[in-house]
Amino acid sequence: MILMDDIIREGHPTLNKRAQEVSLPLSNNDKKLLKEMLEFVKNSQDSEIAEQYDLRPAVGIAAPQLNIPKRMFVVHFVGFDNTLYEYLLINPTLEPLDSNNIYLPGGEGCLSVDRPTEGLITPRYNQILLKAHRYDPYANIVVPIELDLSGYEGIVFQHEYDHLEGILFTEKMFSDLPNAKPAFEIKSND
Ligand code: ZN
């Protein structure tokens, strides 16, 4: 299983390189890697397993973070629409459908970034079209998909996609973005 020690951190050159296209049909090694990446993200969200193995909670992971410079990433999270976003993606492309900027209130986080960045925000497109091949580990098939994503869900995919381009969110952090809107309002408990 993948552990925190398998994840390379800010400053490692692989994190700043554009990752390579993955050849299809998908090799058994690449299938295995994608399944292990999914397992890691799920484990990181399981409080018992995360505590036992000292995993930081994550909604996604990209292959370059494992020092494997291939264009693959995995996300697993429940969106604001209450549906599960579980995607094991190969060779994604991303285009903005709405160039207005949004940001994650409070700032983003990353398994590859250990320093505190709270309060610094990163501009993202409000809406994107993501095209990719999707590996379905349950049916063991690879199918082309297109996803129209916006808001928080779109931010997660843009963060992971940036890893394939060799970009960390720490390279585009701002204390203020006057022309961007928060992806959602933070609810207070008052
Ligand atoms: Zn990241």
Side-chain angles (χ1 to χ4, degrees):
M1 69 186 280
I2 295 170
L3 298 171
M4 291 306 295
D5 282 349
D6 299 312
I7 294 166
I8 57 173
R9 308 301 163 90
E10 198 177 14
H12 192 295
T14 299
L15 291 173
N16 291 117
K17 268 186 217 142
R18 190 175 186 275
Q20 300 291 304
E21 298 283 324
V22 177
S23 54
L24 294 171
L26 200 60
S27 71
N28 285 335
N29 271 348
D30 288 339
K31 288 179 182 175
K32 183 166 170 278
L33 174 63
L34 284 166
K35 284 193 266 193
E36 286 173 352
M37 288 161 65
L38 174 62
E39 182 194 41
F40 172 84
V41 176
K42 288 165 86 169
N43 285 344
S44 83
Q45 296 173 16
D46 179 310
S47 52
E48 259 179 50
I49 300 176
E51 193 184 332
Q52 184 181 355
Y53 294 101
D54 205 13
L55 307 179
R56 273 174 54 191
V59 293
I61 187 170
Q65 294 181 276
L66 299 164
N67 201 16
I68 300 168
K70 292 183 173 183
R71 301 185 74 77
M72 298 193 286
F73 71 75
V74 167
V75 299
H76 174 92
F77 65 97
V78 176
F80 275 54
D81 53 1
N82 273 322
T83 61
L84 176 65
Y85 287 75
E86 182 178 88
Y87 291 97
L88 295 72
L89 297 181
I90 305 128
N91 299 337
T93 62
L94 187 154
E95 58 176 281
L97 293 177
D98 174 355
S99 60
N100 287 316
N101 279 161
I102 56 169
Y103 60 87
L104 196 65
E108 300 185 14
C110 182
L111 294 164
S112 296
V113 175
D114 292 329
R115 62 192 166 102
T117 58
E118 283 84 5
L120 295 169
I121 50 181
T122 298
R124 301 291 185 187
Y125 297 123
N126 182 41
Q127 190 182 7
I128 55 166
L129 178 65
L130 186 134
K131 297 180 187 175
H133 279 79
R134 177 191 193 183
Y135 175 48
D136 177 342
Y138 311 104
N140 192 28
I141 51 168
V142 176
V143 290
I145 56 154
E146 288 189 20
L147 296 171
D148 183 333
L149 300 157
S150 59
Y152 170 72
E153 294 80 12
I155 289 175
V156 173
F157 283 77
Q158 287 175 78
H159 177 113
E160 300 306 332
Y161 179 82
D162 265 2
H163 279 301
L164 310 186
E165 295 295 297
I167 300 166
L168 290 178
F169 80 98
T170 48
E171 289 162 53
K172 38 187 186 186
M173 286 191 304
F174 301 88
S175 54
D176 188 28
L177 289 170
N179 295 316
K181 289 199 176 88
F184 53 86
E185 302 294 334
I186 296 177
K187 292 193 189 88
S188 82
N189 293 320
D190 302 341

